[in-house]
Amino acid sequence: MPLDPRIRAVTDRIRDRSAATRAAYLDRMARAAEAGPARAHLSCSNAAHAWAASGPDKDALAGGRAPNIGIITAYNDMLSAHQPYEHYPDRVRAAARAAGATAQVAGGVPAMCDGVTQSRPGMELSLFSRDVIALSAGVALSHDCYDSALWLGICDKIVPGLVMAAATFGHVPAVFVPSGPMPSGLPNDEKAKVRQRFATGDATRQELLAAEMASYHGPGTCTFYGTANSNQMLMEIMGLHLPGAAFVNPGTELRAALTDAAVARAAAITALGNDYRPVGRVLDERAFVNGIVGLMATGGSTNLVLHLPAMARTAGILLDLQDFADISAAVPLLARVYPNGLADVNHFHAAGGMAWLVGELLAAGLVHDDVVTVAGDGLHHYAREPKLIGGELVWQDGPRNSLNDRILRPHTDPFATTGGLAQLSGNLGRGVIKVSAVPADRHVIQAPARVFHDQDAVKAAFRRGEFTGDVVVVVRFQGPRANGMPELHALTPVLSVLQDRGLRVALVTDGRMSGASGKVPAAIHIWPEAEEGGPLAKLRDGDLIRLDAGAGTLEVLTPGVLDRAPVVADLSANAFGTGRELFARLRAAATPAPEGASILL
């Protein structure tokens, strides 16, 4: 199927906008590739330090003829998704030897679990941890001793930070290696109901804890379609995973075989061989467009609207919110996975998963097939799925028909004719809304504002019974420069209760929401943020606000609001504790949300 002209137009616009920055990037990468890994030029003392602890690989490393693979790991025990990585380095080293290569852990990066830090002070470090991860990985690769790299990471800020680092070392081939989702536990919608009952005092803390632990119950990614699993979809559709690797459960034979195959592939695509695939060539404008298409087709996390521009900029590519909006208008919603439906990612995988999705998008002409990937030239490689047959890993054509039309539907009969995310603009600024999980009769909300400076104040007002009519809850001073742009996911149960009571409710904020959020209309990432004197800082209780997701508008209708002086908030409480003081200068230097809210770019 020829490429949809709307997708081609967005791609051409990105290419033209990025012409100078992309050319400069590719020139830097070409010069770095010419120089090659420095280990061939190390002094004897340098080399001795590099190989001192390499054990049985020392001779191969000293010989300099075998590919050396650098491992960047985000392993820790706090993230269930990353816990399986504990023993990956040993497996990777063994697989590298079998492929005639060597492997070394180049370094580790921090990895925060947003599930642990939700509504806690530590959440204010979450977004900027992405940039710290990129910096940490940059330090790891600065030894300049690697012919390719394996990137072990899955969760919210980790994958974007790793991609930013990988692109910075764009002359080095990169294969991203997932560990897969945990098996299905308590259904996500049942867990959400217990959370709402707890918010109204109808469930005990013991009941809530039991539900949470039955949902999050073992190693692997959380099973809802939030930011972590949206990341995995992206890594596959952008050509950085092996085909079908994203959603295979940990601890299975197929998972182990895919990890071994990723190592072999990393050894095969270095400049030492005949199939050199530097990651800077993989991460071009077509790959990013494919990623945005996948995000829209699946109703993925709004956090990627922040992360993708930051990831792209490190590869010299400039994305704009309008690119997301135009792609969303062209791409139908093909998947319903919680919070957009009742299924989890294991059900999505069983219904056809990524192989079906890529095949369907190719058939609809909505993605670029003419891309470079780690698996080979062409996205069509990702319409195949891995299987173990007789103990051998093979790839076969994936299903062409959905195996469950309540989870996956063809482009000719989609869940919705447009994508899961929409851009908002108006006299309150620019932002984004996730519409894929919001009931159609809630796409337009017009109601008076209640204005708050933090989510705890919203919850306190709820407990006092202050929300008795339709309301737009405004939570301001939550942007990158104010307090690091924390997720406000703890508001979801409260706002869901109000909506279920029949009130027309919306959230407007310069902060973020979790990738698991979606039931209540939420205009998020509003920029200019309140800390910069943006329009949100001029709102007062009772101002009439209209949010129209279909029209893509966010407006205050009360006359004279924009003539007011902006409120200046006392943010001193955000300055200290849980490491926040270390990030003060970083907050002050953050770029605007539409540019990725980065401290690096």
Side-chain angles (χ1 to χ4, degrees), residues 411-484:
H411 71 279
T412 53
D413 182 29
F415 292 105
T417 56
T418 57
L421 303 176
Q423 181 185 205
L424 297 171
S425 61
N427 62 11
L428 286 178
R430 299 177 75 189
V432 66
I433 182 172
K434 181 174 182 175
V435 294
S436 54
V438 176
D441 64 348
R442 303 284 172 159
H443 285 194
V444 178
I445 302 291
Q446 182 171 310
R450 280 293 309 275
V451 182
F452 302 89
H453 288 184
D454 61 66
Q455 59 184 328
D456 288 339
V458 180
K459 291 188 284 186
F462 174 81
R463 289 192 295 269
R464 292 192 298 267
E466 295 181 8
F467 298 112
T468 58
D470 297 348
V471 63
V472 173
V473 175
V474 177
V475 187
R476 63 191 179 190
F477 296 102
Q478 304 297 307
R481 294 196 172 192
N483 63 348

Side-chain angles (χ1 to χ4, degrees), residues 354-355 358-359 362 379-385 396-400:
M354 288 302 300
V358 170
L362 283 168
L379 190 63
H380 59 271
H381 288 283
Y382 291 79
R384 295 168 65 81
E385 58 186 9
Q396 298 180 342
D397 289 341
R400 294 284 71 89

Side-chain angles (χ1 to χ4, degrees), residues 39-134:
R39 68 176 187 276
H41 312 292
L42 294 176
S43 72
C44 293
S45 177
N46 293 151
H49 280 86
W51 323 140
S54 58
D57 296 321
K58 189 177 293 188
D59 288 344
L61 285 163
R65 294 183 177 86
N68 188 33
I69 302 168
I71 305 167
I72 307 294
T73 177
Y75 160 71
N76 67 42
D77 291 330
M78 187 60 68
L79 277 80
S80 60
H82 289 203
Q83 190 278 335
Y85 287 140
E86 179 178 8
H87 301 296
Y88 270 47
D90 287 339
R91 184 169 201 102
V92 168
R93 282 188 281 262
R97 292 176 194 126
T102 57
Q104 295 177 290
V105 173
V109 301
M112 173 183 284
C113 179
D114 287 358
V116 175
T117 59
Q118 283 291 349
S119 74
R120 306 292 301 165
M123 173 53 74
E124 295 180 14
L125 277 60
S126 175
L127 177 59
F128 293 151
S129 75
R130 175 196 67 193
D131 294 16
V132 173
I133 288 162

